[in-house]
């Protein structure tokens, strides 16, 4: 199922020009482009060879499938603004998230406007990136729309691609995990190379833990103090070509071990981020880690007002936003969840702040991209599908919620972990967000 379809005038290309090669990324923005503005950014890459290596690694990620039945998708997202470019992508199975950040030090050019768009990574584009030499001057133009792009060899036929709904759902989940992460390890370039050399052979069927044995990083089947859980550790082979180029590798993980991230400091204002879901078969789009924050719906005008304040890549600081606007912290948490549910927020691990993407503002996506939330509201709309059983000490509430063919017992509102007797909760134990029965009980009986 797709959320929107994009049509490109032609594939991206490396175009030969008298002043040097120009890297042109075929783009389509969902927002209407301002009259007379053809590009978001136009300029030169200060280290074009290194940027090409980062973009090539991003292309490897978008072409990767760690779940056989997943569809092949090759369309990274680029956000321009605030003096930088961020290229983001998922693996086709949605379990790996990658981002290449090109900061002000990496760029020599002009930002004509801020915005977010999809770019086309086709085979000619990948091959062109591979041909860029260390000293080759390359111009980068991002955000071109309804303008014909041509390779040096001539005109290229236009293509149509589809942006799946699960990409926005994946963006929602990834920023939620990244915002929880803590830095666990910091490795040198030599240690980063050793990390790849110590990867277990073949496809990992069980969890591995990244540990330091003396100065050398290694993977063990059992964790210990300071160890980082890495599910589907074979996915790290995506970084084989880039790790030898990094100055520093920083490793992050969530406290509950449900996601890990690897940040490669490449120097010259370039940084590459790779985040992994807890298991190779788990796509970020199905995690639901923001659902509880969406239980209490905010007025649409509040969310729209916040959206109007920010441009592409601008910093969003929830604490500062709460102080400046006189809002309670829990209200800002719900605001963050609402913006994130539309794909509008990302998270920068090293700077420890959210950043903004300029996607179209569509409140209906909060429901349409979160079927568990939609189903919970349907349960509330029925006459007796959510029933109170008892309220115990500390506000612990027991409820009965109608399932497909049976009633489920739900516990919410107390200091203990949320519980439900449905198969979803039994199989995931709350690790992939609450089920629809817990959400319905929270909406009905727990005061937000």
């Amino acid at each position: 199922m797709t959320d929107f379809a994009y049509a490109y005038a032609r594939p991206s290309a490396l175009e030969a020009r008298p002043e040097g090669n120009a890297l042109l990324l075929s783009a389509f923005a969902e927002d209407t482009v301002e009259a007379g503005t053809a590009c978001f950014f136009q300029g030169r890459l200060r280290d074009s060879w290194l940027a090409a290596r980062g973009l090539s690694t991003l292309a490897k990620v978008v072409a990767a499938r760690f779940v056989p039945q997943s569809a092949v998708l090759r369309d990274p997202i680029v956000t321009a603004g605030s003096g930088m470019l961020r290229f983001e992508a998922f693996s086709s199975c949605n379990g790996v998230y990658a981002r290449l950040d090109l900061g002000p030090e990496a760029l020599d050019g002009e930002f004509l406007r801020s915005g977010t768009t999809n770019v086309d990574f086709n085979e000619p584009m990948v091959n062109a990136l591979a041909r860029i030499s260390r000293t080759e001057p390359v111009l980068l133009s991002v955000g071109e729309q309804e303008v014909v792009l041509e390779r040096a060899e001539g005109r290229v036929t236009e293509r149509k691609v589809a942006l799946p709904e699960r990409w926005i759902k994946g963006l929602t989940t990834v920023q939620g995990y990244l915002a929880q992460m803590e830095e666990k390890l910091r490795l040198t370039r030599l240690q980063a190379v050793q990390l790849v050399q110590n990867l277990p052979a073949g496809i990992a069927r069980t969890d591995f833990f990244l540990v330091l044995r003396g100065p050398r990083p290694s993977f063990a089947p059992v964790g210990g103090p300071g160890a980082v859980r890495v599910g589907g550790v074979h996915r790290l082979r995506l970084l084989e070509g880039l790790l030898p180029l990094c100055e520093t590798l920083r490793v992050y993980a969530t406290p509950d071990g449900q996601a890990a991230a690897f940040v490669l400091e490449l120097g010259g204002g370039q940084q590459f981020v790779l985040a992994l879901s807890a298991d190779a078969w788990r796509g970020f789009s199905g995690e639901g880690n923001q659902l509880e924050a969406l239980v209490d719906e905010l007025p649409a005008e509040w969310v729209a007002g916040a959206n109007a304040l920010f441009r592409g890549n601008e910093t969003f600081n929830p604490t500062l936003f709460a102080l400046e606007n006189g809002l309670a912290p829990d209200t800002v948490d719900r605001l963050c969840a609402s913006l994130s549910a539309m794909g509008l927020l990302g998270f920068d691990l090293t700077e420890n702040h959210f950043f903004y993407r300029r996607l179209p503002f569509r409140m209906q996506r909060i429901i349409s991209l979160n079927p568990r939330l939609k189903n919970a509201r349907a349960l509330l709309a029925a006459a007796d599908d959510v029933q109170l059983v008892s309220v115990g000490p500390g506000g612990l509430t027991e409820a009965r919620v109608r399932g497909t063919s049976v009633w489920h017992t739900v516990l919410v509102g107390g200091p203990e972990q949320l519980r439900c007797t449905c198969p979803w909760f039994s199989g995931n134990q709350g690790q992939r967000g609450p089920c629809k029965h817990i959400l319905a009980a929270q909406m009905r009986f727990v005061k937000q």
Side-chain angles (χ1 to χ4, degrees):
M1 184 176 183
T2 60
D3 194 23
F4 5 84
Y6 288 92
Y8 296 99
R10 70 192 84 182
S12 302
L14 186 70
E15 180 179 297
R17 292 182 176 179
E19 66 273 22
N21 288 337
L23 183 62
L24 301 172
L25 300 180
S26 178
F28 185 95
E30 200 182 355
D31 283 317
T32 300
V33 176
E34 298 170 6
T37 303
C39 298
F40 295 145
F41 169 83
Q42 191 170 33
R44 181 177 65 88
L45 295 170
R46 294 185 187 275
D47 189 338
S48 58
W49 181 83
L50 185 60
R53 303 286 77 72
L55 289 169
S56 295
T57 302
L58 200 75
K60 286 176 59 179
V61 172
V62 299
R65 286 189 294 175
F66 299 99
V67 178
Q69 64 268 29
S70 57
V72 177
L73 304 167
R74 311 192 71 148
D75 302 289
I77 300 164
V78 57
T79 299
S82 298
M84 68 184 305
L85 298 172
R86 298 184 194 266
F87 294 82
E88 301 176 274
F90 289 96
S91 59
S92 292
C93 56
N94 208 241
V96 180
Y97 164 81
R99 189 177 80 234
L100 174 66
D101 291 346
L102 301 180
E105 294 178 34
L107 304 169
D108 182 13
E110 181 181 5
F111 284 86
L112 304 176
R113 68 188 290 260
S114 67
T116 302
T117 181
N118 251 46
V119 296
D120 177 27
F121 263 32
N122 47 71
E123 290 300 331
M125 173 68 175
V126 175
N127 293 335
L129 291 170
R131 294 197 303 268
I132 293 175
S133 66
R134 286 184 177 272
T135 59
E136 185 176 352
V138 173
L139 301 176
L140 175 66
S141 179
V142 175
E144 292 187 340
Q145 184 179 356
E146 301 178 351
V147 175
V148 175
L149 298 179
E150 296 185 10
R151 295 180 56 81
E153 293 82 0
R155 189 183 182 100
V156 183
T157 306
E158 79 171 30
R159 303 191 315 129
K160 289 185 178 180
V161 297
L163 180 64
E165 292 180 344
R166 73 174 190 271
W167 277 48
I168 294 181
K169 293 171 67 177
L171 291 173
T172 299
T173 298
V174 163
Q175 72 83 18
Y177 278 137
L178 294 179
Q180 299 173 26
M181 287 186 180
E182 303 169 351
E183 185 174 345
K184 298 294 186 180
L185 296 170
R186 190 173 298 199
L187 307 179
T188 64
R189 178 181 299 175
L190 175 60
Q191 289 174 314
V193 173
Q194 292 172 339
L195 183 75
V196 175
Q197 294 172 343
N198 290 331
L199 280 173
I203 297 175
R205 303 295 182 185
T206 60
D207 287 342
F208 278 86
F209 294 85
L210 174 58
V211 297
L212 281 179
R213 300 189 186 280
R216 191 178 183 91
S218 62
F219 293 95
V222 179
V228 177
R229 177 194 175 199
V230 183
V233 70
H234 54 285
R235 296 178 289 178
L236 285 177
R237 293 197 184 94
L238 292 166
L239 295 176
E240 282 180 321
L242 205 56
L243 282 172
L245 306 178
C246 75
E247 296 179 352
T248 305
L249 173 63
R250 301 166 72 170
V251 184
Y252 295 78
T254 58
D256 59 5
Q258 293 303 300
F262 299 78
V263 180
L264 287 68
E265 302 286 357
L266 300 173
Q270 301 192 37
Q271 182 185 91
F272 194 91
V273 180
L274 190 84
L276 305 178
S277 61
D279 299 286
W281 54 266
R282 281 170 61 171
F284 279 114
S285 58
E287 295 297 276
N289 62 349
Q290 298 284 292
L291 287 172
E292 284 189 76
L294 296 171
V295 165
D296 192 11
E297 191 174 10
L298 284 175
E301 57 269 23
W302 288 26
V303 187
N307 174 67
L309 295 175
F310 298 98
R311 300 180 69 83
N313 283 330
E314 279 192 337
T315 298
F316 180 85
N317 186 315
T319 302
L320 184 60
F321 188 82
L323 292 173
E324 290 176 344
N325 295 277
L327 300 174
D330 66 316
T331 299
V332 177
D333 288 342
R334 287 152 51 205
L335 179 62
C336 285
S338 297
L339 294 171
S340 173
M342 292 181 278
L344 303 178
L345 288 186
F347 192 82
D348 190 313
L349 273 169
T350 55
E351 297 297 329
N352 194 35
H353 63 60
F354 293 96
F355 64 87
Y356 222 76
R357 299 185 194 92
R358 291 308 309 174
L359 292 176
F361 183 82
R362 295 182 178 174
M363 286 290 290
Q364 63 268 30
R365 283 182 179 161
I366 296 178
I367 294 297
S368 66
L369 299 181
N370 292 281
R372 274 180 267 169
L373 187 63
K374 180 179 180 179
N375 293 336
R377 292 185 176 175
L379 286 170
L380 289 176
D384 296 309
D385 283 0
V386 183
Q387 300 177 1
L388 178 66
V389 175
S390 65
V391 179
L396 180 64
T397 300
E398 180 179 345
R400 295 175 71 241
V401 181
R402 189 187 299 275
T404 303
S405 56
V406 297
W407 287 85
H408 299 296
T409 299
V410 175
L411 294 178
V412 295
E416 301 176 4
Q417 182 186 11
L418 304 174
R419 307 289 298 178
C420 182
T421 57
C422 73
W424 170 267
F425 185 89
S426 299
N428 295 288
Q429 294 296 309
Q431 292 183 349
R432 304 186 69 188
C435 62
K436 63 181 179 181
H437 312 105
I438 287 176
L439 289 172
Q442 286 180 314
M443 292 181 202
R444 175 64 57 84
F445 302 120
V446 180
K447 183 178 181 180
Q448 301 297 319

